[in-house]
Amino acid sequence: MKIATFNINGIKARIEALPAWLDEATPDVAILQEIKSVDEAFPAEIFEERGYNVATHGQKSFNGVAILSKRPLEDVTRGLPGDDSDEQARWIEATVMGDTHPLRLCGLYLPNGNPAPGPKYDYKLAWMERLLKRAETLLAEETPFLMAGDYNIIPQAEDAAKPDSWRDDALFRLESRTAFRKLINLGLTEAFRARTQGPGHYSFWDYQAGAWNRNNGIRIDHFLLCPQVADMLQDCQIDMEVRGRDKPSDHVPVWVELAA
DNA sequence: ATGTCTCGGCTCCCGAGA
């Protein structure tokens, strides 16, 4: 089963580029972030006619996550547990049947957190605490799961072309990386780094300052796999060439191939 | 390089967020 994550930066703006990539990459599941659309306005038909089931959790203007799946989506839940007052649409879960086991899919758009320090950064760290608790719960339930999306975290210096310029940024400051490391230390596997070592692998290039042409990128879109799913990992790749196409998102798709 | 893109208000530009 091929599962991709892709921050599309607006479904309306990506109404041609997203289907084009789906037709070519043919993932079984696409976990999307920043749909920037309310659920009623999401153009589900475009994906349904390609054989995808569609589950969205959107809001007006900002954020918003979705799951497209060729296998039926069951037990869809929306919103990250732990704060009923949180109105930002950043989390969606659904179950798909693998060849042998059910697989719980978690799609996330982790808060950016800038400027740091400040209230937006406090919200990011609090959100990551809730994410840690959700991962602990899923591990305790022993249901195979993965968590995929835009983590807005640069895990290590090698994941940025210019790490020094990110030193005090919410995506890279020590507290952010420590919170991400806590997740890993629960026993989760970061899929890309389980397969590929070394610098120069990025999933985001800013629209500004010719970042793409200078390859001034960062790697912030990740898959975290529970132990059972880590055992099924066959491949993990970044479709970086997508960034060079017409009307691109500032992120590119990252995908895993699972023996499931 | 002060370098871009997206969304929405109620639009013929601007602020906010990234």
Side-chain angles (χ1 to χ4, degrees):
Chain A
M1 185 171 6
K2 182 177 182 178
I3 303 175
T5 180
F6 190 3
N7 180 324
I8 58 173
N9 190 19
I11 185 60
K12 296 174 195 71
R14 231 55 65 204
I15 203 65
E16 292 184 17
L18 176 58
W21 168 76
L22 284 171
D23 289 345
E24 161 196 313
T26 63
D28 299 289
V29 176
I31 297 171
L32 307 178
Q33 302 86 40
E34 284 206 270
I35 63 173
K36 296 187 175 180
S37 165
V38 293
D39 295 335
E40 310 80 65
F42 190 84
E45 326 74 47
I46 292 177
F47 309 105
E48 288 164 351
E49 67 192 22
R50 288 171 164 78
Y52 289 99
N53 301 282
V54 178
T56 60
H57 178 39
Q59 67 182 94
K60 194 192 279 191
S61 302
F62 306 118
N63 308 321
V65 288
I67 302 178
L68 316 179
S69 173
K70 293 193 172 177
R71 305 189 192 197
L73 290 167
E74 300 164 18
D75 301 321
V76 178
T77 60
R78 295 167 175 85
L80 181 62
D83 182 359
D84 293 339
S85 69
D86 187 357
E87 294 182 350
Q88 299 191 31
R90 297 179 174 278
W91 181 265
I92 188 170
E93 295 185 24
T95 298
V96 294
M97 268 310 293
D99 295 339
T100 53
H101 300 285
L103 176 62
R104 190 70 173 162
L105 305 168
C106 306
L108 67 102
Y109 175 46
L110 208 147
N112 176 294
N114 279 304
K120 291 187 177 182
Y121 192 60
D122 295 340
Y123 173 67
K124 178 177 195 158
L125 293 178
W127 204 94
M128 293 188 78
E129 272 295 320
R130 289 159 59 197
L131 178 59
L132 187 75
K133 287 201 164 57
R134 184 68 190 128
E136 286 173 339
T137 299
L138 288 165
L139 283 164
E141 289 173 357
E142 298 188 3
T143 303
F145 73 94
L146 60 79
M147 306 192 308
D150 177 358
Y151 282 74
N152 269 314
I153 295 283
I154 302 165
Q156 301 191 90
E158 65 181 358
D159 297 310
K162 298 183 178 180
D164 289 345
S165 69
W166 294 91
R167 193 62 59 184
D168 299 317
D169 191 280
L171 278 61
F172 190 61
R173 48 187 349 245
L174 183 58
E175 280 176 282
S176 303
R177 285 181 283 129
T178 300
F180 187 75
R181 177 56 53 186
K182 273 186 163 182
L183 268 176
I184 303 277
N185 287 347
L186 293 177
L188 304 181
T189 295
E190 206 249 276
F192 186 78
R193 284 307 181 196
R195 305 269 320 167
T196 303
Q197 312 302 309
H201 304 283
Y202 312 125
S203 66
F204 168 93
W205 294 259
D206 201 289
Y207 288 123
Q208 294 191 69
W212 168 247
N213 288 326
R214 296 162 189 249
N215 195 24
N216 180 15
I218 53 177
R219 196 175 66 87
I220 57 176
D221 299 273
H222 311 299
F223 278 87
L224 294 187
L225 312 178
C226 81
Q228 298 103 306
V229 176
D231 285 342
M232 304 175 194
L233 180 64
Q234 295 184 320
D235 201 0
C236 180
Q237 300 286 340
I238 303 173
D239 284 348
M240 73 174 282
E241 75 283 354
V242 171
R243 186 63 177 80
R245 298 182 182 176
D246 286 343
K247 290 238 9 169
S249 170
D250 40 6
H251 296 250
V252 297
V254 182
W255 53 266
V256 293
E257 182 68 47
L258 301 177

PDB file of all heavy atoms in Angstrom, chain A residues 162-185:
ATOM      1  N   LYS A 162      20.445  25.472   5.177  1.00  0.00           N
ATOM      2  CA  LYS A 162      21.145  26.511   5.947  1.00  0.00           C
ATOM      3  C   LYS A 162      20.677  26.455   7.399  1.00  0.00           C
ATOM      4  O   LYS A 162      19.929  27.349   7.840  1.00  0.00           O
ATOM      5  CB  LYS A 162      20.866  27.897   5.359  1.00  0.00           C
ATOM      6  CG  LYS A 162      21.344  28.065   3.927  1.00  0.00           C
ATOM      7  CD  LYS A 162      21.082  29.493   3.455  1.00  0.00           C
ATOM      8  CE  LYS A 162      21.610  29.695   2.032  1.00  0.00           C
ATOM      9  NZ  LYS A 162      21.354  31.081   1.564  1.00  0.00           N
ATOM     10  N   PRO A 163      21.100  25.462   8.146  1.00  0.00           N
ATOM     11  CA  PRO A 163      20.584  25.293   9.518  1.00  0.00           C
ATOM     12  C   PRO A 163      20.818  26.508  10.406  1.00  0.00           C
ATOM     13  O   PRO A 163      19.983  26.800  11.262  1.00  0.00           O
ATOM     14  CB  PRO A 163      21.335  24.058  10.036  1.00  0.00           C
ATOM     15  CG  PRO A 163      22.460  23.837   9.087  1.00  0.00           C
ATOM     16  CD  PRO A 163      22.039  24.396   7.781  1.00  0.00           C
ATOM     17  N   ASP A 164      21.924  27.229  10.191  1.00  0.00           N
ATOM     18  CA  ASP A 164      22.205  28.388  11.045  1.00  0.00           C
ATOM     19  C   ASP A 164      21.106  29.450  10.953  1.00  0.00           C
ATOM     20  O   ASP A 164      20.801  30.129  11.933  1.00  0.00           O
ATOM     21  CB  ASP A 164      23.559  29.010  10.683  1.00  0.00           C
ATOM     22  CG  ASP A 164      24.718  28.125  11.113  1.00  0.00           C
ATOM     23  OD1 ASP A 164      24.470  27.200  11.923  1.00  0.00           O
ATOM     24  OD2 ASP A 164      25.840  28.347  10.634  1.00  0.00           O
ATOM     25  N   SER A 165      20.511  29.569   9.769  1.00  0.00           N
ATOM     26  CA  SER A 165      19.489  30.595   9.592  1.00  0.00           C
ATOM     27  C   SER A 165      18.171  30.204  10.264  1.00  0.00           C
ATOM     28  O   SER A 165      17.263  31.027  10.387  1.00  0.00           O
ATOM     29  CB  SER A 165      19.257  30.855   8.105  1.00  0.00           C
ATOM     30  OG  SER A 165      18.628  29.743   7.494  1.00  0.00           O
ATOM     31  N   TRP A 166      18.054  28.958  10.710  1.00  0.00           N
ATOM     32  CA  TRP A 166      16.828  28.478  11.356  1.00  0.00           C
ATOM     33  C   TRP A 166      16.999  28.340  12.875  1.00  0.00           C
ATOM     34  O   TRP A 166      16.072  27.909  13.573  1.00  0.00           O
ATOM     35  CB  TRP A 166      16.411  27.127  10.776  1.00  0.00           C
ATOM     36  CG  TRP A 166      16.011  27.187   9.341  1.00  0.00           C
ATOM     37  CD1 TRP A 166      16.807  27.002   8.254  1.00  0.00           C
ATOM     38  CD2 TRP A 166      14.704  27.478   8.823  1.00  0.00           C
ATOM     39  NE1 TRP A 166      16.088  27.151   7.086  1.00  0.00           N
ATOM     40  CE2 TRP A 166      14.784  27.435   7.414  1.00  0.00           C
ATOM     41  CE3 TRP A 166      13.466  27.762   9.418  1.00  0.00           C
ATOM     42  CZ2 TRP A 166      13.683  27.676   6.589  1.00  0.00           C
ATOM     43  CZ3 TRP A 166      12.362  27.986   8.594  1.00  0.00           C
ATOM     44  CH2 TRP A 166      12.479  27.949   7.199  1.00  0.00           C
ATOM     45  N   ARG A 167      18.160  28.678  13.374  1.00  0.00           N
ATOM     46  CA  ARG A 167      18.518  28.373  14.761  1.00  0.00           C
ATOM     47  C   ARG A 167      17.448  28.797  15.767  1.00  0.00           C
ATOM     48  O   ARG A 167      17.113  28.050  16.680  1.00  0.00           O
ATOM     49  CB  ARG A 167      19.866  29.054  15.086  1.00  0.00           C
ATOM     50  CG  ARG A 167      20.526  28.582  16.357  1.00  0.00           C
ATOM     51  CD  ARG A 167      20.896  27.102  16.335  1.00  0.00           C
ATOM     52  NE  ARG A 167      21.813  26.760  15.232  1.00  0.00           N
ATOM     53  CZ  ARG A 167      22.208  25.519  14.977  1.00  0.00           C
ATOM     54  NH1 ARG A 167      21.796  24.519  15.732  1.00  0.00           N
ATOM     55  NH2 ARG A 167      23.019  25.270  13.965  1.00  0.00           N
ATOM     56  N   ASP A 168      16.904  30.008  15.617  1.00  0.00           N
ATOM     57  CA  ASP A 168      15.941  30.527  16.599  1.00  0.00           C
ATOM     58  C   ASP A 168      14.493  30.441  16.106  1.00  0.00           C
ATOM     59  O   ASP A 168      13.595  30.995  16.718  1.00  0.00           O
ATOM     60  CB  ASP A 168      16.278  31.983  16.941  1.00  0.00           C
ATOM     61  CG  ASP A 168      17.670  32.096  17.546  1.00  0.00           C
ATOM     62  OD1 ASP A 168      18.016  31.255  18.387  1.00  0.00           O
ATOM     63  OD2 ASP A 168      18.414  33.022  17.152  1.00  0.00           O
ATOM     64  N   ASP A 169      14.304  29.757  14.993  1.00  0.00           N
ATOM     65  CA  ASP A 169      12.972  29.639  14.411  1.00  0.00           C
ATOM     66  C   ASP A 169      12.176  28.545  15.123  1.00  0.00           C
ATOM     67  O   ASP A 169      12.746  27.550  15.602  1.00  0.00           O
ATOM     68  CB  ASP A 169      13.115  29.307  12.917  1.00  0.00           C
ATOM     69  CG  ASP A 169      11.805  29.423  12.174  1.00  0.00           C
ATOM     70  OD1 ASP A 169      10.982  28.490  12.249  1.00  0.00           O
ATOM     71  OD2 ASP A 169      11.599  30.468  11.519  1.00  0.00           O
ATOM     72  N   ALA A 170      10.853  28.730  15.158  1.00  0.00           N
ATOM     73  CA  ALA A 170       9.978  27.750  15.833  1.00  0.00           C
ATOM     74  C   ALA A 170      10.085  26.354  15.213  1.00  0.00           C
ATOM     75  O   ALA A 170       9.764  25.365  15.868  1.00  0.00           O
ATOM     76  CB  ALA A 170       8.529  28.221  15.777  1.00  0.00           C
ATOM     77  N   LEU A 171      10.542  26.261  13.960  1.00  0.00           N
ATOM     78  CA  LEU A 171      10.649  24.956  13.310  1.00  0.00           C
ATOM     79  C   LEU A 171      11.891  24.186  13.732  1.00  0.00           C
ATOM     80  O   LEU A 171      11.995  22.982  13.491  1.00  0.00           O
ATOM     81  CB  LEU A 171      10.653  25.113  11.779  1.00  0.00           C
ATOM     82  CG  LEU A 171       9.284  25.261  11.108  1.00  0.00           C
ATOM     83  CD1 LEU A 171       8.530  26.483  11.574  1.00  0.00           C
ATOM     84  CD2 LEU A 171       9.412  25.243   9.603  1.00  0.00           C
ATOM     85  N   PHE A 172      12.848  24.913  14.349  1.00  0.00           N
ATOM     86  CA  PHE A 172      14.143  24.273  14.617  1.00  0.00           C
ATOM     87  C   PHE A 172      14.669  24.507  16.017  1.00  0.00           C
ATOM     88  O   PHE A 172      15.607  23.834  16.445  1.00  0.00           O
ATOM     89  CB  PHE A 172      15.169  24.765  13.583  1.00  0.00           C
ATOM     90  CG  PHE A 172      16.465  24.011  13.591  1.00  0.00           C
ATOM     91  CD1 PHE A 172      16.499  22.650  13.331  1.00  0.00           C
ATOM     92  CD2 PHE A 172      17.670  24.656  13.852  1.00  0.00           C
ATOM     93  CE1 PHE A 172      17.702  21.944  13.334  1.00  0.00           C
ATOM     94  CE2 PHE A 172      18.877  23.963  13.851  1.00  0.00           C
ATOM     95  CZ  PHE A 172      18.901  22.595  13.592  1.00  0.00           C
ATOM     96  N   ARG A 173      14.098  25.443  16.770  1.00  0.00           N
ATOM     97  CA  ARG A 173      14.686  25.713  18.090  1.00  0.00           C
ATOM     98  C   ARG A 173      14.631  24.451  18.972  1.00  0.00           C
ATOM     99  O   ARG A 173      13.847  23.538  18.737  1.00  0.00           O
ATOM    100  CB  ARG A 173      14.088  26.936  18.770  1.00  0.00           C
ATOM    101  CG  ARG A 173      12.645  26.993  18.762  1.00  0.00           C
ATOM    102  CD  ARG A 173      11.982  28.274  19.293  1.00  0.00           C
ATOM    103  NE  ARG A 173      12.777  29.250  19.981  1.00  0.00           N
ATOM    104  CZ  ARG A 173      12.617  29.571  21.268  1.00  0.00           C
ATOM    105  NH1 ARG A 173      11.726  28.957  22.010  1.00  0.00           N
ATOM    106  NH2 ARG A 173      13.357  30.492  21.808  1.00  0.00           N
ATOM    107  N   LEU A 174      15.486  24.429  19.945  1.00  0.00           N
ATOM    108  CA  LEU A 174      15.743  23.208  20.702  1.00  0.00           C
ATOM    109  C   LEU A 174      14.478  22.600  21.298  1.00  0.00           C
ATOM    110  O   LEU A 174      14.279  21.386  21.251  1.00  0.00           O
ATOM    111  CB  LEU A 174      16.769  23.500  21.807  1.00  0.00           C
ATOM    112  CG  LEU A 174      17.200  22.285  22.646  1.00  0.00           C
ATOM    113  CD1 LEU A 174      17.800  21.203  21.768  1.00  0.00           C
ATOM    114  CD2 LEU A 174      18.189  22.707  23.739  1.00  0.00           C
ATOM    115  N   GLU A 175      13.614  23.466  21.863  1.00  0.00           N
ATOM    116  CA  GLU A 175      12.382  22.929  22.468  1.00  0.00           C
ATOM    117  C   GLU A 175      11.533  22.176  21.446  1.00  0.00           C
ATOM    118  O   GLU A 175      10.908  21.171  21.771  1.00  0.00           O
ATOM    119  CB  GLU A 175      11.552  24.077  23.049  1.00  0.00           C
ATOM    120  CG  GLU A 175      12.011  24.578  24.392  1.00  0.00           C
ATOM    121  CD  GLU A 175      11.166  25.769  24.814  1.00  0.00           C
ATOM    122  OE1 GLU A 175      11.411  26.875  24.300  1.00  0.00           O
ATOM    123  OE2 GLU A 175      10.269  25.587  25.648  1.00  0.00           O
ATOM    124  N   SER A 176      11.518  22.664  20.204  1.00  0.00           N
ATOM    125  CA  SER A 176      10.726  22.009  19.150  1.00  0.00           C
ATOM    126  C   SER A 176      11.319  20.647  18.827  1.00  0.00           C
ATOM    127  O   SER A 176      10.600  19.636  18.739  1.00  0.00           O
ATOM    128  CB  SER A 176      10.712  22.877  17.893  1.00  0.00           C
ATOM    129  OG  SER A 176      10.219  24.166  18.169  1.00  0.00           O
ATOM    130  N   ARG A 177      12.620  20.612  18.646  1.00  0.00           N
ATOM    131  CA  ARG A 177      13.270  19.343  18.293  1.00  0.00           C
ATOM    132  C   ARG A 177      13.196  18.350  19.449  1.00  0.00           C
ATOM    133  O   ARG A 177      13.082  17.136  19.233  1.00  0.00           O
ATOM    134  CB  ARG A 177      14.723  19.600  17.901  1.00  0.00           C
ATOM    135  CG  ARG A 177      14.834  20.226  16.511  1.00  0.00           C
ATOM    136  CD  ARG A 177      16.273  20.460  16.091  1.00  0.00           C
ATOM    137  NE  ARG A 177      16.852  21.611  16.739  1.00  0.00           N
ATOM    138  CZ  ARG A 177      18.009  21.611  17.392  1.00  0.00           C
ATOM    139  NH1 ARG A 177      18.720  20.513  17.458  1.00  0.00           N
ATOM    140  NH2 ARG A 177      18.464  22.706  17.941  1.00  0.00           N
ATOM    141  N   THR A 178      13.251  18.861  20.670  1.00  0.00           N
ATOM    142  CA  THR A 178      13.128  17.988  21.835  1.00  0.00           C
ATOM    143  C   THR A 178      11.744  17.349  21.890  1.00  0.00           C
ATOM    144  O   THR A 178      11.607  16.150  22.174  1.00  0.00           O
ATOM    145  CB  THR A 178      13.398  18.777  23.128  1.00  0.00           C
ATOM    146  OG1 THR A 178      14.722  19.297  23.073  1.00  0.00           O
ATOM    147  CG2 THR A 178      13.246  17.898  24.358  1.00  0.00           C
ATOM    148  N   ALA A 179      10.719  18.148  21.617  1.00  0.00           N
ATOM    149  CA  ALA A 179       9.352  17.615  21.632  1.00  0.00           C
ATOM    150  C   ALA A 179       9.178  16.545  20.553  1.00  0.00           C
ATOM    151  O   ALA A 179       8.510  15.529  20.770  1.00  0.00           O
ATOM    152  CB  ALA A 179       8.350  18.751  21.429  1.00  0.00           C
ATOM    153  N   PHE A 180       9.772  16.758  19.383  1.00  0.00           N
ATOM    154  CA  PHE A 180       9.718  15.759  18.304  1.00  0.00           C
ATOM    155  C   PHE A 180      10.472  14.497  18.716  1.00  0.00           C
ATOM    156  O   PHE A 180      10.013  13.374  18.480  1.00  0.00           O
ATOM    157  CB  PHE A 180      10.307  16.367  17.028  1.00  0.00           C
ATOM    158  CG  PHE A 180      10.169  15.500  15.806  1.00  0.00           C
ATOM    159  CD1 PHE A 180       8.944  15.367  15.165  1.00  0.00           C
ATOM    160  CD2 PHE A 180      11.269  14.841  15.284  1.00  0.00           C
ATOM    161  CE1 PHE A 180       8.814  14.578  14.030  1.00  0.00           C
ATOM    162  CE2 PHE A 180      11.157  14.046  14.140  1.00  0.00           C
ATOM    163  CZ  PHE A 180       9.919  13.916  13.518  1.00  0.00           C
ATOM    164  N   ARG A 181      11.611  14.683  19.349  1.00  0.00           N
ATOM    165  CA  ARG A 181      12.427  13.554  19.799  1.00  0.00           C
ATOM    166  C   ARG A 181      11.677  12.719  20.842  1.00  0.00           C
ATOM    167  O   ARG A 181      11.784  11.498  20.870  1.00  0.00           O
ATOM    168  CB  ARG A 181      13.753  14.085  20.355  1.00  0.00           C
ATOM    169  CG  ARG A 181      14.711  13.067  20.927  1.00  0.00           C
ATOM    170  CD  ARG A 181      15.080  11.969  19.972  1.00  0.00           C
ATOM    171  NE  ARG A 181      15.576  12.453  18.686  1.00  0.00           N
ATOM    172  CZ  ARG A 181      15.841  11.660  17.658  1.00  0.00           C
ATOM    173  NH1 ARG A 181      15.696  10.352  17.749  1.00  0.00           N
ATOM    174  NH2 ARG A 181      16.262  12.186  16.518  1.00  0.00           N
ATOM    175  N   LYS A 182      10.890  13.391  21.671  1.00  0.00           N
ATOM    176  CA  LYS A 182      10.067  12.668  22.656  1.00  0.00           C
ATOM    177  C   LYS A 182       9.106  11.704  21.972  1.00  0.00           C
ATOM    178  O   LYS A 182       8.892  10.581  22.447  1.00  0.00           O
ATOM    179  CB  LYS A 182       9.250  13.656  23.501  1.00  0.00           C
ATOM    180  CG  LYS A 182       9.957  14.202  24.724  1.00  0.00           C
ATOM    181  CD  LYS A 182       8.961  15.046  25.518  1.00  0.00           C
ATOM    182  CE  LYS A 182       9.411  15.297  26.943  1.00  0.00           C
ATOM    183  NZ  LYS A 182       8.390  16.081  27.688  1.00  0.00           N
ATOM    184  N   LEU A 183       8.537  12.141  20.869  1.00  0.00           N
ATOM    185  CA  LEU A 183       7.636  11.276  20.094  1.00  0.00           C
ATOM    186  C   LEU A 183       8.399  10.044  19.597  1.00  0.00           C
ATOM    187  O   LEU A 183       7.947   8.910  19.743  1.00  0.00           O
ATOM    188  CB  LEU A 183       7.108  12.041  18.885  1.00  0.00           C
ATOM    189  CG  LEU A 183       5.808  12.813  18.964  1.00  0.00           C
ATOM    190  CD1 LEU A 183       5.609  13.545  17.647  1.00  0.00           C
ATOM    191  CD2 LEU A 183       4.643  11.885  19.242  1.00  0.00           C
ATOM    192  N   ILE A 184       9.543  10.298  18.982  1.00  0.00           N
ATOM    193  CA  ILE A 184      10.372   9.207  18.460  1.00  0.00           C
ATOM    194  C   ILE A 184      10.707   8.230  19.585  1.00  0.00           C
ATOM    195  O   ILE A 184      10.682   7.009  19.406  1.00  0.00           O
ATOM    196  CB  ILE A 184      11.685   9.772  17.864  1.00  0.00           C
ATOM    197  CG1 ILE A 184      11.380  10.802  16.778  1.00  0.00           C
ATOM    198  CG2 ILE A 184      12.585   8.646  17.367  1.00  0.00           C
ATOM    199  CD1 ILE A 184      11.091  10.256  15.428  1.00  0.00           C
ATOM    200  N   ASN A 185      11.009   8.802  20.749  1.00  0.00           N
ATOM    201  CA  ASN A 185      11.457   7.969  21.872  1.00  0.00           C
ATOM    202  C   ASN A 185      10.354   7.101  22.475  1.00  0.00           C
ATOM    203  O   ASN A 185      10.635   6.239  23.310  1.00  0.00           O
ATOM    204  CB  ASN A 185      12.092   8.844  22.960  1.00  0.00           C
ATOM    205  CG  ASN A 185      13.460   9.360  22.537  1.00  0.00           C
ATOM    206  OD1 ASN A 185      14.031   8.873  21.556  1.00  0.00           O
ATOM    207  ND2 ASN A 185      13.980  10.335  23.250  1.00  0.00           N
TER     208      ASN A 185
END
